[in-house]
Amino acid sequence: MPVSPSQLNTLLQALHDPAPLPSYRAAATLEKLKPEMSDPQRAEYEAALASASQQRQQAAKAREEAETELLDDWDKDSLQWK
């Protein structure tokens, strides 16, 4: 039985959730449904998974840069938090 488009869309949207648990649950569910997906659905899933991963990497990099900038500011104020 193929995966319904509405179910697929809901799960693909959940992949991009910034909270890790909903995203993980969606990915786990999608992996279980993968054998039932049509080729276009599987391609859409793969693309969404790659996009979500890239989005998370960019967010992590931005957080790291903000933290580094904050630490640099503290250093300039002679607070020596490092």
Side-chain angles (χ1 to χ4, degrees):
M1 179 175 181
V3 179
S4 74
S6 64
Q7 181 184 22
L8 182 66
N9 288 337
T10 301
L11 291 168
L12 291 177
Q13 288 175 359
L15 275 179
H16 288 86
D17 193 312
L21 189 57
S23 179
Y24 171 80
R25 286 182 177 159
T29 302
L30 284 162
E31 272 302 310
K32 289 178 186 174
L33 294 173
K34 195 173 179 180
E36 300 173 21
M37 291 180 193
S38 65
D39 288 341
Q41 286 177 325
R42 196 172 298 114
E44 189 176 357
Y45 163 57
E46 301 281 338
L49 196 59
S51 172
S53 175
Q54 183 180 17
Q55 200 173 28
R56 281 190 179 66
Q57 289 173 354
Q58 289 172 346
K61 184 178 177 182
R63 281 192 305 275
E64 184 179 318
E65 288 172 357
E67 185 177 313
T68 300
E69 186 176 313
L70 182 61
L71 289 175
D72 287 347
D73 289 345
W74 282 343
D75 259 357
K76 289 176 187 173
D77 292 338
S78 301
L79 292 177
Q80 302 299 323
W81 287 91
K82 285 188 177 182

